[in-house]
Amino acid sequence: MAELSKDPNEMSFLDHLEELRWHLIRATMAIVIIGCLAFIMKDFIFDTVIFGPKKMDFPTYRLFCRIATSIGIESAFCADELPFTIQSRTMAGQFSAHIWTSIWAGFIIGFPYVLYEMWQFISPGLKENERNNSRGFILIASLLFFMGVLFGYYVVAPLSINFLGTYQVSKEVLNEFDIGSYISTVRASVIACGVLFELPIIIFFLTKVGLVTPEILKKYRKIALVIVLILSAVITPPDVASQIIVAVPVLILYQVSIYISKIVLRKEMKKMKKDIKPQ
């Protein structure tokens, strides 16, 4: 009985795992290298970037203060300083914060390369037309991610810090935050917004595989609106203006995702009609 010939280009499951391992190793090495540079630049990373939203001369606070002043109302954004202190309550607290902040900085800055390594692993399994349709994926996904990071850093993080740092249940209770708690608030705001801004990319691929349609997105648009408003109310000070500032970009992204889903579905329908040949 003749043996079936195997495609020399076909990889076994173990070969795929080995390939994935090397992509992950290279991505991790990039994060570590950038993280080491961030570790060395301690003063800039902490004093300028991390603790920037704690200072009242932060651009976001100055902008809201000018807006409030121009319409003749008093605002907490015009205060001289935020009424809380940051401290380290454990022996290794500051060193651990330094290490982990450097690693997260390495991931954020090295995100395009991490994405490139993942794409290098996935793209060989795609068809030629799928690779052509996904051209520019790394650039667009990276731009969306960095836009989300900037939005999280300049909008969500300072609004959250200003609200939580000034909130008191009683004047008997002082706000003295641990350094890990403060950094996690900044990090969560930045990373969450970076991932959230990838929504159009996620919808693009979900539409390609048939899990999402424009009709489904439109059907659940009201539910999405409620969820966005609830999230905005949780992460921002309890005033309508701040909630709108956070909610509007997310709703715009959701609407953009609907249009992207329509375009993808239209192209898929044209492709199906072209593939169906008359008998």
Side-chain angles (χ1 to χ4, degrees):
M1 186 174 179
E3 292 185 1
L4 294 173
S5 59
K6 291 186 178 180
D7 185 352
N9 295 322
E10 187 177 346
M11 297 173 65
S12 67
F13 177 71
L14 291 178
D15 290 334
H16 280 294
L17 285 181
E18 180 67 13
E19 187 74 13
L20 176 61
R21 185 171 76 92
W22 281 105
H23 285 298
L24 291 175
I25 288 174
R26 286 192 289 270
T28 303
M29 286 178 62
I31 293 173
V32 170
I33 291 171
I34 298 172
C36 288
L37 294 175
F39 188 87
I40 295 171
M41 300 173 64
K42 179 182 68 173
D43 293 340
F44 173 76
I45 294 294
F46 281 90
D47 293 338
T48 303
V49 178
I50 299 297
F51 295 128
K54 183 185 180 299
K55 303 169 184 174
M56 291 310 297
D57 61 350
F58 194 68
T60 305
Y61 300 143
R62 292 205 307 266
L63 174 63
F64 282 116
C65 178
R66 282 199 296 268
I67 293 174
T69 304
S70 65
I71 58 179
I73 61 174
E74 294 184 1
S75 173
F77 295 112
C78 296
D80 294 329
E81 62 180 13
L82 289 171
F84 68 85
T85 58
I86 299 173
Q87 55 189 335
S88 178
R89 298 175 182 273
T90 59
M91 286 290 291
Q94 295 196 54
F95 183 70
S96 296
H98 192 186
I99 292 288
W100 282 108
T101 300
S102 300
I103 292 173
W104 279 107
F107 172 76
I108 292 171
I109 298 171
F111 180 79
Y113 183 76
V114 173
L115 206 60
Y116 169 77
E117 286 294 340
M118 294 301 99
W119 182 249
Q120 286 293 100
F121 175 73
I122 296 170
S123 60
L126 301 177
K127 296 178 183 178
E128 185 65 29
N129 65 320
E130 290 175 334
R131 281 197 294 269
N132 292 334
N133 291 335
S134 302
R135 192 174 297 164
F137 161 73
I138 296 173
L139 176 62
I140 295 172
S142 298
L143 285 174
L144 288 172
F145 178 77
F146 287 126
M147 285 171 60
V149 165
L150 291 174
F151 180 77
Y153 180 71
Y154 282 104
V155 178
V156 179
L159 291 178
S160 300
I161 289 169
N162 185 276
F163 171 61
L164 297 174
T166 57
Y167 186 84
Q168 286 183 296
V169 294
S170 170
K171 291 184 178 180
E172 298 295 323
V173 183
L174 300 178
N175 283 334
E176 297 176 347
F177 304 129
D178 187 73
I179 185 173
S181 176
Y182 174 86
I183 292 176
S184 67
T185 300
V186 178
R187 182 180 63 238
S189 301
V190 168
I191 299 294
C193 288
V195 173
L196 189 62
F197 270 56
E198 297 290 344
L199 182 62
I201 298 290
I202 296 171
I203 294 299
F204 173 83
F205 285 106
L206 289 179
T207 305
K208 290 285 288 184
V209 298
L211 293 177
V212 167
T213 64
E215 288 71 27
I216 291 176
L217 294 174
K218 289 179 181 177
K219 180 180 178 182
Y220 293 103
R221 180 159 43 193
K222 292 181 179 179
I223 297 176
L225 172 61
V226 172
I227 293 173
V228 168
L229 291 175
I230 291 173
L231 289 174
S232 301
V234 170
I235 65 178
T236 61
D239 62 87
V240 177
S242 300
Q243 293 172 20
I244 291 174
I245 288 170
V246 174
V248 166
V250 179
L251 295 176
I252 291 174
L253 284 171
Y254 191 86
Q255 190 62 38
V256 169
S257 299
I258 294 176
Y259 289 125
I260 289 174
S261 183
K262 284 182 180 179
I263 293 170
V264 172
L265 202 62
R266 193 180 302 126
K267 287 185 177 179
E268 290 294 316
M269 293 298 291
K270 286 182 180 179
K271 180 185 171 184
M272 288 176 61
K273 289 180 181 178
K274 196 176 288 185
D275 291 340
I276 299 174
K277 297 180 180 179
Q279 300 293 333

